[in-house]
Structure formats: C-alpha cells, structure tokens
C-alpha cells in the first residue's frame, strides 16, 4: 500500500493567515480582501477550486466572529504591547459572544464601572456543562484583573483624588434657642400653647409613663406650672402707657378759642409777651397783660 499523505486540518486563523489575537477589524479587513480574490463572481477566469476556497474562507470568518477569544493567547506581555487595542477588542468579543447589551467598554470614561463588571464577571449564556461555564467566567475575570493592573488611569485618578480633592466638611447644625423646652422628649417650642399641646399628646404621655407612676397627674402639674408662669409674667410687666404731656394753660385756651370763633388767628409773635414768654390767644389779651403789669390773667 502506498503512503497516503494525511491532510492536516487548518484552523480558521490559519485559513485567513491571521494570528490568534487579531482584532475584529483586522479579521473583517482580511476577509474582504480574500473573498474578492477567491469569489467566482469576482474572478475573470473561472476556476473549479474557487467556490471551495471562497466557502472555506466564509466558514473560517464566521467561526472566528462567533467564537470567544482564545484565553491562552491573551497574556500580560500581549497587553503590554498595546493595552487599548487588545483590551478593547477582547472585552467587546466577550460581550458579543455572551450577548450582553449595553455593556461598558474599555475606553469609556467610567472605567471603574467597567472593571467592577468584568472583575466579577457572570454570564447567563448556556454552556454544555456547569464546569465549562465557571471556567469561562473565571478566565474572563483573570484577564480583567491583568488589564486593570496595567491600566494607568487607575493610578493617575487615585493620585489626583488624594492631592486635589479635599474631604467634605461636616455641616454644622444651627441650634435654635426655644423659649419653652421639654426635657423628657428633648424638644423645643416657640410658644406656650405649643408646649401645652405637646404635654397633652400621646407620645409625651408614653414617655412620662416610663418615668412616673401616675402620668396623668404629672402632666397636669406640668400644664399648671406653664400656666402659672404666664400669669406671673403678665403681672410683672410694667405699665408702658405714656402719660399725656402737660400743656400750658394758655395754649389750651388758645385752641379752645380758635374752635369757638372759627376765625383766623394772628401769628404767634404778635400775641407773645417778650418778657414773660407767654403766648396769648389774641392781641387784646396781650394788651391787658401789659396794662396789668405783666400779671397772669
């Protein structure tokens, strides 16, 4: 029997002449180039091998796009070459494979949320066995931790937070002074009626019942004390009414005379005695005052 040459089956990456860590963009570009070269409709000279080659390229492309990335090739050395390129492509393919809509990307500003999801990665995708599923999630978490250790944004942001951002100051509460206070309930009130209503409330009754054996009597005494304070304060208030100022007799006479006569009076300088400084209601009274030797009428 003659030796038959065994054909070695090529991997999808070998068919497209790509490395196992090629990005989705590189895979698509390579697929378009090869399909234009091998597709029967694109060739001027038809070949019997062209349909087979085109079909093989299409199957390899579909297999790469639909399959998850190969974890053994995504090492720390690879990410050190180009962290952004390989990390963004790796996690994007993980999301496509597990069908995770709206998942954060590596280049998003909120990178803490990105790492929080992928360092604790879980998936709802069904696998053949539970062991296979747990191993897949464990590998994703491992790669996420490697990428996080190489991400310079983590160290830069933590440094800026320590230097620039000051801890917020605790807000100081303004303590209001209340004229009436309940020492049992630690409450303040603005008026006497408010504290009396508080004394008669159910909560105050429950608090007093824990202290006193007869809470009703105790509350009645409290209300009576507040009422007595009110009466004593009103009794001690001084009378602030102003007494009417003393009015000179001649000025009163002058006003009364003006009301009776209703006539217009002469200006005050013509009705004033220069020596006695007395203002009279009329000039005739002033003349009588002068004739009597400055005696008061």
């Amino acid at each position: 029997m003659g030796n038959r040459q065994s054909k070695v089956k090529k991997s999808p990456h070998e068919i497209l002449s790509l490395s196992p860590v090629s990005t989705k963009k590189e895979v698509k570009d390579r697929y378009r180039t090869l399909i234009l070269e091998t597709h029967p409709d694109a060739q001027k000279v038809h070949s019997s091998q062209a349909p087979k080659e085109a079909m093989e390229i299409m199957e390899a492309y579909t297999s790469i796009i639909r399959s998850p990335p190969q974890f053994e090739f995504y090492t720390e050395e690879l990410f050190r070459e180009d962290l952004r390129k390989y990390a963004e492509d790796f996690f994007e393919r993980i999301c496509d494979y597990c069908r995770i809509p709206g998942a954060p990307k590596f280049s998003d500003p909120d990178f803490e949320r990105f790492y929080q999801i992928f360092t604790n990665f879980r998936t709802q995708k069904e696998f053949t066995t539970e062991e296979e599923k747990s191993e897949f999630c464990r590998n994703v978490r491992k790669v996420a931790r490697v990428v996080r250790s190489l991400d310079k944004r983590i160290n830069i942001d933590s440094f800026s937070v320590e230097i620039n951002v000051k801890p917020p100051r605790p807000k100081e509460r303004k303590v209001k002074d209340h004229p009436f206070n309940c020492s049992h309930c630690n409450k303040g009130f603005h008026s006497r009626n408010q504290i009396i209503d508080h004394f008669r409330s159910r909560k105050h009754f429950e608090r007093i019942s824990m202290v006193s054996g007869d809470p009703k009597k105790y509350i009645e005494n409290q209300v009576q004390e507040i009422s007595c304070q009110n009466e004593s304060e009103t009794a001690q208030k001084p009378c602030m009414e102003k007494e009417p100022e003393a009015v000179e007799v001649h000025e009163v006479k002058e006003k009364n005379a003006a009301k009776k006569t209703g006539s217009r009076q002469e200006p005050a300088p013509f009705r004033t005695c220069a020596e006695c400084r007395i203002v009279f209601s009329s000039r005739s009274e002033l003349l009588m005052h002068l004739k009597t030797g400055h005696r008061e009428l």
Side-chain angles (χ1 to χ4, degrees):
M1 294 178 65
N3 294 330
R4 294 182 179 179
Q5 187 177 0
S6 60
K7 293 183 179 180
V8 180
K9 189 176 181 180
K10 293 183 179 180
S11 66
H13 289 89
E14 290 176 350
I15 294 172
L16 299 181
S17 302
L18 293 171
S19 67
V21 293
S22 299
T23 62
K24 284 178 65 176
K25 186 178 183 304
E26 293 173 349
V27 173
K28 288 180 180 180
D29 293 343
R30 183 61 178 168
Y31 167 73
R32 289 171 184 169
T33 304
L34 292 177
I35 205 69
L36 289 174
E37 293 176 357
T38 58
H39 199 275
D41 296 338
Q43 290 182 350
K44 295 181 179 179
V45 180
H46 294 282
S47 173
S48 59
Q49 297 294 330
K52 293 182 180 180
E53 292 178 0
M55 185 63 67
E56 191 177 16
I57 291 169
M58 291 175 65
E59 289 177 355
Y61 170 75
T62 306
S63 176
I64 293 172
I65 293 298
R66 292 182 179 179
S67 62
Q70 301 178 25
F71 296 104
E72 61 270 17
F73 295 104
Y74 288 88
T75 59
E76 185 176 349
E77 289 75 14
L78 177 70
F79 289 116
R80 286 185 184 277
E81 293 179 9
D82 194 338
L83 180 65
R84 185 184 183 89
K85 172 185 174 181
Y86 292 111
E88 193 163 356
D89 179 73
F90 175 84
F91 291 106
E92 185 179 352
R93 291 179 64 183
I94 291 292
C95 294
D96 293 343
Y97 179 71
C98 297
R99 297 179 182 178
I100 306 174
K105 296 183 179 180
F106 174 77
S107 57
D108 288 348
D110 190 5
F111 54 86
E112 286 294 342
R113 179 171 173 267
F114 168 81
Y115 286 119
Q116 186 178 4
I117 290 174
F118 286 102
T119 53
N120 303 288
F121 184 76
R122 296 285 188 279
T123 180
Q124 300 296 328
K125 184 178 176 59
E126 295 182 358
F127 287 79
T128 308
T129 60
E130 287 295 327
E131 293 181 0
E132 185 180 354
K133 181 178 180 179
S134 60
E135 185 179 358
F136 178 83
C137 296
R138 188 164 53 251
N139 289 329
V140 174
R141 293 195 292 268
K142 182 180 178 181
V143 173
R145 286 193 292 269
V146 171
V147 172
R148 192 179 192 280
S149 64
L150 299 174
D151 195 348
K152 295 181 179 180
R153 295 177 297 176
I154 304 294
N155 299 328
I156 291 172
D157 279 26
S158 61
F159 179 77
S160 63
V161 167
E162 292 176 2
I163 299 300
N164 298 328
V165 179
K166 296 181 180 179
R169 293 182 179 179
K171 294 183 179 179
E172 297 180 357
R173 292 185 177 181
K174 295 181 179 179
V175 180
K176 295 182 179 180
D177 295 331
H178 298 91
F180 304 97
N181 296 287
C182 177
S183 59
H184 298 284
C185 302
N186 294 326
K187 289 184 178 181
F189 303 92
H190 295 287
S191 66
R192 186 172 284 100
N193 293 332
Q194 286 181 353
I195 193 170
I196 290 173
D197 292 339
H198 169 70
F199 287 156
R200 292 170 178 170
S201 65
R202 181 176 58 83
K203 290 184 178 180
H204 184 71
F205 181 84
E206 292 175 356
R207 187 63 63 89
I208 296 300
S209 61
M210 298 170 63
V211 179
S212 175
D214 191 359
K216 290 185 178 180
K217 189 175 181 180
Y218 189 89
I219 291 171
E220 288 177 2
N221 293 334
Q222 283 184 317
V223 174
Q224 191 173 1
E225 287 179 5
I226 292 293
S227 302
C228 292
Q229 288 180 7
N230 187 14
E231 293 176 0
S232 61
E233 287 178 4
T234 52
Q236 291 176 2
K237 281 185 179 179
C239 183
M240 300 300 292
E241 295 179 358
K242 293 183 179 180
E243 296 181 358
E245 296 180 357
V247 183
E248 293 186 4
V249 179
H250 296 288
E251 291 181 359
V252 174
K253 288 182 179 180
E254 181 181 349
K255 291 179 181 179
N256 293 333
K259 288 180 181 179
K260 289 179 181 179
T261 57
S263 60
R264 186 177 179 182
Q265 294 182 349
E266 296 178 356
F270 298 101
R271 297 178 284 108
T272 305
C273 178
E275 294 183 5
C276 302
R277 300 293 181 182
I278 298 174
V279 180
F280 296 92
S281 59
S282 62
R283 291 185 67 184
S284 59
E285 290 185 2
L286 174 61
L287 293 174
M288 291 293 293
H289 170 70
L290 295 175
K291 288 178 181 180
T292 55
H294 297 279
R295 293 179 183 176
E296 190 174 354
L297 296 175

